[in-house]
Amino acid sequence: MQLFTPQECASNYAAAGQVKAGMPLVRMFLLAVLAGFFIAMGGAVTNTAAHTIANVGAARVLSGLLFPFGLAMVILTGSELFTGNTLMVISVLDRRISLTRMLRNWGVVYLGNTAGAMITAAACAFGGQLNYSGGELAVFTMKLAASKCVLPPANAVILGILCNILVTAGVLLSLSAKDLTGRTVGAYLPIAFFVICGFEHCIANLYYIPAGLFARMVPAYEALAVSGGVDLSALTWGGFLLRNLLPVTLGNILGGAGMGALYWFCHGRTKGTGA
């Protein structure tokens, strides 16, 4: 049989969360930087592929086909991704780790993901990757970033919840498989869904919005955007943090932790806990 049962998957993740919580801090941080890079590359490739497509539906579908390979690389390389690690609630409920150990992991991994994603964003903006189509990729990047900075906070929370239900479902489906194909396909479909729907992922946004902010620091890119009538007034670091990153992160925590608690309640409890 090429699949673990849901009960086996819950048990396997409870044990995996215990390993994650006990990982040395330097290793944890470096694996988180790597995951931030992979997710950022998913953002870079979707922007590059979609920036000249006028049809929104076609652009979203193309992005949905490409972005999921970022999470697949995270899972298959054993990297540490904050949004996926919200499933460590399973380990807490299974009494494998303490709440403090889980929060320690979340904090270190979030910082590492931030470093990996933002370094990638800076490299793309200042290294010339955004020069595609005479700089139109840079304009697209700034326009997308600005649109994310005007989301009403309540909407950002809800879109973050929906996103991370799908992300954690992708992690669980991937871990349910025993072969490379099954693990990749398991991660692929839920992530494609969230990208096509336009839900909000905090680590992806640590690429999408800083890439726009860094692009705005390049005079030639900013001049192109202004001449094209793009409103950049909302594209500020304050708007990024307050209007997007904080509410989206909260939504991702609620969605992922809620998914983990539901999965454990349905599949992880033993007979001794009254299941």
Side-chain angles (χ1 to χ4, degrees):
M1 185 175 180
Q2 294 302 305
L3 292 174
F4 292 108
T5 67
Q7 291 76 18
E8 289 173 329
C9 188
S11 178
N12 290 345
Y13 193 90
Q18 187 175 10
V19 173
K20 288 175 178 289
M23 191 181 299
L25 290 178
V26 172
R27 181 183 175 197
M28 188 187 299
F29 179 79
L30 291 175
L31 288 174
V33 171
L34 184 61
F37 168 76
F38 287 143
I39 296 300
M41 289 308 300
V45 76
T46 56
N47 277 2
T48 303
H51 79 279
T52 60
I53 299 176
N55 184 288
V56 175
R60 298 312 305 167
V61 169
L62 179 60
S63 297
L65 291 174
L66 293 172
F67 187 90
F69 289 106
L71 181 65
M73 288 189 287
V74 168
I75 292 171
L76 295 175
T77 60
S79 305
E80 291 288 307
L81 181 63
F82 169 77
T83 46
N85 283 9
T86 56
L87 283 174
M88 288 174 70
V89 165
I90 292 173
S91 304
V92 173
L93 293 172
D94 213 50
R95 298 183 181 180
R96 305 287 189 104
I97 63 173
S98 66
L99 178 63
T100 301
R101 298 289 281 184
M102 179 186 74
L103 294 176
R104 169 181 174 267
N105 174 276
W106 285 5
V108 172
V109 169
Y110 196 97
L111 289 174
N113 290 167
T114 299
M118 290 189 66
I119 289 170
T120 306
C124 289
F126 300 128
Q129 193 272 331
L130 301 184
N131 286 339
Y132 269 94
S133 307
E136 286 304 313
L137 175 55
V139 175
F140 177 89
T141 300
M142 288 183 280
K143 186 176 180 180
L144 175 63
S147 71
K148 288 178 174 289
C149 292
V150 295
L151 274 177
N155 290 23
V157 171
I158 293 169
L159 294 175
I161 291 172
L162 294 172
C163 170
N164 218 31
I165 291 173
L166 289 169
V167 170
T168 49
V171 172
L172 291 170
L173 287 174
S174 176
L175 296 179
S176 296
K178 298 181 180 180
D179 62 354
L180 176 62
T181 301
R183 295 193 71 187
T184 302
V185 172
Y188 189 94
L189 293 175
I191 305 307
F193 283 9
F194 107 65
V195 174
I196 292 170
C197 290
F199 298 149
E200 293 288 314
H201 186 273
C202 62
I203 307 306
N205 285 352
L206 281 162
Y207 170 81
Y208 283 123
I209 303 177
L213 286 161
F214 291 138
R216 192 178 181 186
M217 295 179 187
V218 178
Y221 292 158
E222 184 177 36
L224 275 175
V226 172
S227 66
V230 179
D231 182 3
L232 298 178
S233 60
L235 185 55
T236 64
W237 289 102
F240 166 44
L241 294 172
L242 298 177
R243 296 295 296 271
N244 187 281
L245 189 63
L246 291 178
V248 169
T249 299
L250 175 60
N252 288 166
I253 291 172
L254 293 173
M259 180 66 172
L262 176 64
Y263 199 82
W264 178 84
F265 184 83
C266 294
H267 299 303
R269 295 187 303 162
T270 64
K271 292 180 180 180
T273 62

